[in-house]
Amino acid sequence: MESPFKAEVLKGKVALITGGGSGIGFEISTQFGKHGASIAIMGRRKQVLDFAVSALHSQGIQAVGFEGDVRKQEDAKRVVESTFKHFGSLDILVNAAAGNFLVSAEDLSPNGFRTVMDIDSVGTFTMCHEALKYLKKGGPGRNSSGGGTILNISATLHYTASWYQIHVSAAKAAVDATTRNLALEWGTDYDIRVNGIAPGPISDTPGMSKLAPDEINSRSKDYMPLYKLGEKWDIAMAAIYLASDAGKFINGTILIVDGGLWLSRPRH
Ligand code: HXC
């Protein structure tokens, strides 16, 4: 689908996207690139990174991949610094890296719980922490236009409760809390806007194929009248809105992009 935004809406911006080589992260990388941004992708798997970067290059997008695990502070620091060295600034950080699997609370080991917390919650904070120096107003590579911006990708499953997702619910709740608290502290002190996006079920993503096998999907459609899948494009458009000047007065918001699904109840 064609973008409703002007092609230069992110012109001159440099975006670092964790988990940017696949799924929702890759669509954000692509759409940011198509709208003028230079893209750095961070991910653990070299093959995935290489494939994603060549796909971006083939669309005329300036892009580079950096291997790294958001669970390691030294990786976060190195990738943020490398992005700055490569492009000369850092304007947008998108935390899209996430880990997930379906498991009952009874069968989930504490280490399994911790692993997802480490990737989603601690990883998001670590990336923000390491990027602060470059994002803050007056930081290296920043002109007089103020601070940069952060987007944290969470979910809607912690608004209620979700079967076999206790670890992810806890982790995404922490991501949303991190978004609001950084928006308060860093918005005030450093002119950095920090917002989140909470996607509903999005088709053609690792999350959907892992978390909602076909049989769950078709059953859901039977009893949830509003049940429909979003597209990765929907999340990327929300990301452009929040990261661009269109969202210049938006700070500390978590934008739900789910077609209203989380509110839905079966018809009587
Ligand atoms: C039960 C599991 C498990 C499973 C791992 N563990 N997979 N427990 N069921 N299927 C437990 C392990 O037993 C271990 O605990 C601990 O978790 C760490 O496992 P490792 O395999 O060592 O972890 P690691 O290799 O680091 O892999 C991390 C991962 C992996 C999260 C398990 O799946 C991953 O990295 N995935 C990233 C890609 C991904 O999932 N993307 C989709 C995100 S979708 P013990 O106790 O045995 O040591 C998404 C959407 C959210 O986030 C919102 C949806 C609505």
Side-chain angles (χ1 to χ4, degrees), residues 126-161:
T126 304
M127 291 303 299
C128 293
H129 189 267
E130 295 306 321
L132 172 62
K133 167 175 155 191
Y134 299 101
L135 292 173
K136 62 167 74 163
K137 189 175 183 174
R142 304 220 65 76
N143 55 28
S144 55
S145 65
T149 191
I150 297 174
L151 281 180
N152 296 327
I153 309 300
S154 61
T156 58
L157 38 77
H158 53 291
Y159 297 170
T160 52

Side-chain angles (χ1 to χ4, degrees), residues 44 71 98-101 103 109 111-112 115 119 155 157 207 210-211:
R44 279 183 295 163
R71 287 173 285 189
N100 209 343
F101 45 83
V103 65
S109 70
N111 192 44
T115 297
I119 298 170
L157 38 77
K210 268 183 136 172
L211 305 181

Side-chain angles (χ1 to χ4, degrees), residues 64-84:
V64 62
F66 296 115
E67 263 180 271
D69 187 332
V70 296
R71 287 173 285 189
K72 296 182 182 148
Q73 190 180 357
E74 63 273 20
D75 285 14
K77 188 175 166 60
R78 172 180 47 79
V79 169
V80 166
E81 281 174 4
S82 304
T83 302
F84 174 74

Side-chain angles (χ1 to χ4, degrees), residues 42-107:
M42 177 176 180
R44 279 183 295 163
R45 295 165 296 173
K46 185 171 184 328
Q47 260 186 323
V48 173
L49 281 180
D50 289 348
F51 188 80
V53 168
S54 3
L56 294 175
H57 284 164
S58 70
Q59 297 181 76
I61 295 166
Q62 286 200 49
V64 62
F66 296 115
E67 263 180 271
D69 187 332
V70 296
R71 287 173 285 189
K72 296 182 182 148
Q73 190 180 357
E74 63 273 20
D75 285 14
K77 188 175 166 60
R78 172 180 47 79
V79 169
V80 166
E81 281 174 4
S82 304
T83 302
F84 174 74
K85 278 191 192 131
H86 191 87
F87 289 122
S89 68
L90 175 62
D91 304 290
I92 305 167
L93 170 66
V94 181
N95 288 298
N100 209 343
F101 45 83
L102 282 175
V103 65
S104 70
E106 185 176 5
D107 292 335

Side-chain angles (χ1 to χ4, degrees), residues 129-193:
H129 189 267
E130 295 306 321
L132 172 62
K133 167 175 155 191
Y134 299 101
L135 292 173
K136 62 167 74 163
K137 189 175 183 174
R142 304 220 65 76
N143 55 28
S144 55
S145 65
T149 191
I150 297 174
L151 281 180
N152 296 327
I153 309 300
S154 61
T156 58
L157 38 77
H158 53 291
Y159 297 170
T160 52
S162 296
W163 287 95
Y164 311 136
Q165 290 285 276
I166 191 171
H167 46 326
V168 184
S169 292
K172 295 299 195 181
V175 169
D176 285 353
T178 300
T179 297
R180 293 193 188 96
N181 282 275
L182 292 184
L184 175 69
E185 292 193 24
W186 293 358
T188 310
D189 291 345
Y190 300 124
D191 197 25
I192 297 172
R193 293 186 301 109

Side-chain angles (χ1 to χ4, degrees), residues 16-29:
L16 168 59
I17 298 153
T18 72
S22 63
I24 287 172
F26 181 63
E27 182 68 14
I28 294 175
S29 302

